[in-house]
Amino acid sequence: EMEAKYTRKMQALRDEMDLRRKTELHELEERKNTQISELMGNHEGAFGAIKNYYNDITAKNLTLINLLKEQVEDLKKKEAVLEKEKAEVLLQNKELTGPLQESQELVAELKKKLVHYYRDKEALMNSKAHLKITQKELKDLQWEHEVLEQRFSKVQAERDELYQKFTRAINEVQQKTGFKNLLLERKLHGLHSLLEQKEVELSEVVTAANLSPSALSLVSHKLEDVLNSKNATIQDLQLQLARVCKAHNDMLQTFEAKLTAFGIPLDNLGFQPLSFPFPGQ
């Protein structure tokens, strides 16, 4: 039963496929016939168009050939006329050869002069440009010169004013420093004299009083305290004197450096600045 069932199915499928194949073959035949008809129609149309095209070309070529024949005849006539004119021109050329050679030599000479002219013209333009640049540089230099002269005058005035100020300051500082040093030296000398006098008086008092060793030791300690105090005062005065001398010398060095910077010789001061030695030198 299964074999009969599938045999029937296979037969039905085979019939269906045969029918479909026949249908497709019929459709394919119809399309092929349609395309053949279209191609034949297209080919006939193209053949007609080509035939007409070449007929037109042939007619145009015949017309062109006739036209060219006429033109050739006209050209032959013109050629004959030109031959005659050529002979005349050759004769004229022979007659003009001499003047032409002279003209060519004149043109060559004029070309050389023209080259020299362009060269001289270019050199002149370069000279003018260089002259303009030089004139501009000259104006700039003149302006800078004027500015420098004004600055020089201003610096010279400042230098003179600074020179006068420094001169006055040097005189004032020398006067003040000299006076202060003199006072300090006198004070120091007075303290030394006073110390010597006190030592002499102390010796006389000790000798006259005939003090005991303990009293003498006490007096010696008090005297040492007084001497230490006086020595400290002397050292302070010496330090002050050293500071004043150093400040004075520093001021002199600064003044000399300023004069050198402004280009003023030290001999122009009219006096020799006094440089104080430090204590102990």
Side-chain angles (χ1 to χ4, degrees):
E1 290 176 0
M2 289 179 64
E3 184 177 358
K5 180 181 178 181
Y6 282 103
T7 300
R8 287 192 300 274
K9 285 185 178 181
M10 187 171 63
Q11 185 64 35
L13 182 61
R14 182 175 295 170
D15 295 338
E16 183 181 357
M17 295 299 292
D18 287 337
L19 181 62
R20 184 180 296 177
R21 178 175 57 81
K22 289 179 181 179
T23 304
E24 290 178 356
L25 286 175
H26 182 69
E27 291 177 356
L28 183 61
E29 287 289 336
E30 289 181 355
R31 286 200 300 271
K32 182 183 71 172
N33 294 330
T34 303
Q35 289 179 355
I36 290 172
S37 299
E38 290 177 357
L39 287 173
M40 290 178 67
N42 292 333
H43 287 168
E44 289 177 358
F47 179 74
I50 291 172
K51 184 177 180 180
N52 294 329
Y53 173 73
Y54 282 106
N55 289 332
D56 294 338
I57 289 177
T58 303
K60 289 180 181 178
N61 288 334
L62 292 174
T63 305
L64 182 62
I65 289 170
N66 295 327
L67 181 62
L68 289 174
K69 285 181 179 180
E70 294 176 358
Q71 290 180 357
V72 166
E73 292 178 358
D74 293 337
L75 288 174
K76 285 181 178 179
K77 294 179 182 178
K78 289 181 180 179
E79 184 179 3
V81 174
L82 290 174
E83 287 291 335
K84 293 180 181 180
E85 292 178 355
K86 178 182 177 181
E88 295 176 358
V89 169
L90 288 174
L91 182 61
Q92 292 178 359
N93 286 337
K94 288 181 180 180
E95 295 175 354
L96 295 175
T97 302
L100 176 62
Q101 187 175 0
E102 294 177 358
S103 300
Q104 288 177 349
E105 293 176 356
L106 180 60
V107 168
E109 186 178 357
L110 291 175
K111 285 182 178 179
K112 291 181 180 178
K113 291 183 179 180
L114 183 63
V115 171
H116 291 297
Y117 168 74
Y118 284 134
R119 189 180 303 167
D120 295 338
K121 184 178 180 181
E122 185 178 0
L124 180 61
M125 292 176 64
N126 293 331
S127 300
K128 287 182 178 179
H130 185 66
L131 179 62
K132 289 182 180 180
I133 295 173
T134 306
Q135 288 177 350
K136 185 178 182 301
E137 291 178 352
L138 178 61
K139 289 182 180 179
D140 295 338
L141 290 174
Q142 288 177 350
W143 182 77
E144 290 180 359
H145 179 68
E146 293 178 358
V147 173
L148 290 174
E149 281 187 348
Q150 294 177 0
R151 291 178 61 185
F152 176 74
S153 301
K154 184 178 179 181
V155 170
Q156 207 169 20
E158 292 178 354
R159 183 200 65 182
D160 295 337
E161 183 180 359
L162 185 62
Y163 171 74
Q164 294 175 1
K165 288 182 179 179
F166 270 117
T167 303
R168 290 196 299 269
I170 284 292
N171 292 329
E172 292 176 359
V173 170
Q174 281 188 341
Q175 291 176 2
K176 292 179 181 179
T177 307
F179 181 71
K180 190 171 183 179
N181 289 340
L182 182 60
L183 290 178
L184 291 174
E185 288 177 357
R186 288 183 179 179
K187 190 173 181 180
L188 183 61
H189 182 68
L191 290 174
H192 278 294
S193 300
L194 181 60
L195 178 60
E196 292 176 356
Q197 182 180 356
K198 293 297 183 181
E199 287 179 351
V200 172
E201 291 178 357
L202 179 61
S203 299
E204 291 177 356
V205 170
V206 170
T207 304
N210 195 12
L211 296 174
S212 61
S214 60
L216 183 59
S217 176
L218 180 61
V219 173
S220 297
H221 285 301
K222 290 183 179 181
L223 182 59
E224 288 179 359
D225 294 338
V226 173
L227 290 176
N228 291 331
S229 175
K230 296 299 181 182
N231 288 330
T233 303
I234 291 171
Q235 289 179 357
D236 291 337
L237 292 175
Q238 288 177 347
L239 289 175
Q240 292 180 12
L241 179 61
R243 283 196 295 269
V244 171
C245 291
K246 186 178 183 304
H248 177 74
N249 294 334
D250 292 341
M251 186 270 297
L252 284 179
Q253 292 178 359
T254 304
F255 177 66
E256 291 176 356
K258 288 292 183 181
L259 290 180
T260 304
F262 283 100
I264 303 174
L266 298 177
D267 299 336
N268 293 344
L269 291 177
F271 63 91
Q272 182 65 32
L274 179 60
S275 178
F276 291 105
F278 293 108
Q281 294 181 348

